[in-house]
Amino acid sequence: MYLGYGAFLGFLPIYAKNVGLNDAEIAIVLGAQLVLAMVAKPITGRVSDRVGRIPVIIVGLLLCAAALPLIFRSESLTVFLLAAPLLGVGVGAVTPVTNALIADLASARRLGAAMGVFGTIWDIGEAAGPMIAGFLIGGLGYAATFDVLAAVIAVVTVGLMALVRDPKAAARDRESARPVK
């Protein structure tokens, strides 16, 4: 997700300018995405406390995967303002809930190291996103580049579903397996 998000941050202003948005409109699009991310974070964090981390992360990743191709096919302020907030909600779901998942999975003695690794992955994604997108845009154009990044997010989502067990679901399963006294 951070790869796609970094690419979004790096190339939205350039793409939006190319399709005719002015600087103020570009700022509104970026602001709309950010406002929705800020609003979503505490809500998705609470939801993940109730239903588990993995379902919320999956929904967030899928929103990001859906939003990126839509954003980079937009040609009017209205369409940008409908698509960019989807990315904001997706980012707002994945970011805090991934932190919570790491805290759930890491031992107390290794929590700092686990958070450090997560921060590094985040930074690598945000830094590599614009570089990879810049290379791909040169050969594929904007729409196909963001289709590729969305596909990467979708593949990672499938991998997450297959490989990571939600600690909250595991605790529920253990609790339901206990004999009633």
Side-chain angles (χ1 to χ4, degrees):
M1 184 209 72
Y2 296 110
L3 189 74
Y5 189 60
F8 162 80
L9 292 174
F11 283 96
L12 175 78
I14 298 165
Y15 175 77
K17 197 74 146 163
N18 286 342
V19 297
L21 269 62
N22 64 42
D23 293 344
E25 291 169 330
I26 294 167
I28 290 168
V29 172
L30 288 167
Q33 179 273 321
L34 183 57
V35 166
L36 265 289
M38 290 184 327
V39 169
K41 286 178 183 184
I43 296 166
T44 58
R46 279 193 299 273
V47 169
S48 80
D49 289 338
R50 283 190 226 119
V51 303
R53 311 296 186 213
I54 301 300
V56 176
I57 293 170
I58 289 168
V59 169
L61 289 171
L62 293 175
L63 284 171
C64 291
L68 288 172
L70 293 174
I71 292 166
F72 287 90
R73 283 179 170 81
S74 300
E75 294 188 3
S76 72
L77 179 61
T78 303
V79 178
F80 275 109
L81 289 176
L82 293 172
L86 291 175
L87 182 64
V89 173
V91 170
V94 174
T95 304
V97 179
T98 304
N99 279 319
L101 177 64
I102 291 165
D104 292 345
L105 295 173
S107 69
R109 291 183 330 183
R110 302 225 192 289
L111 184 57
M115 291 297 188
V117 168
F118 173 69
T120 300
I121 291 168
W122 179 336
D123 292 341
I124 289 169
E126 278 193 302
M131 290 185 272
I132 291 169
F135 176 76
L136 292 174
I137 288 166
L140 301 175
Y142 283 99
T145 293
F146 284 89
D147 290 347
V148 168
L149 293 174
V152 169
I153 294 170
V155 167
V156 168
T157 303
V158 171
L160 174 73
M161 291 168 35
L163 300 173
V164 181
R165 178 87 167 116
D166 195 315
K168 191 163 191 75
R172 274 194 311 262
D173 293 348
R174 282 192 305 273
E175 190 64 33
S176 66
R178 291 184 187 182
V180 178
K181 294 181 182 184

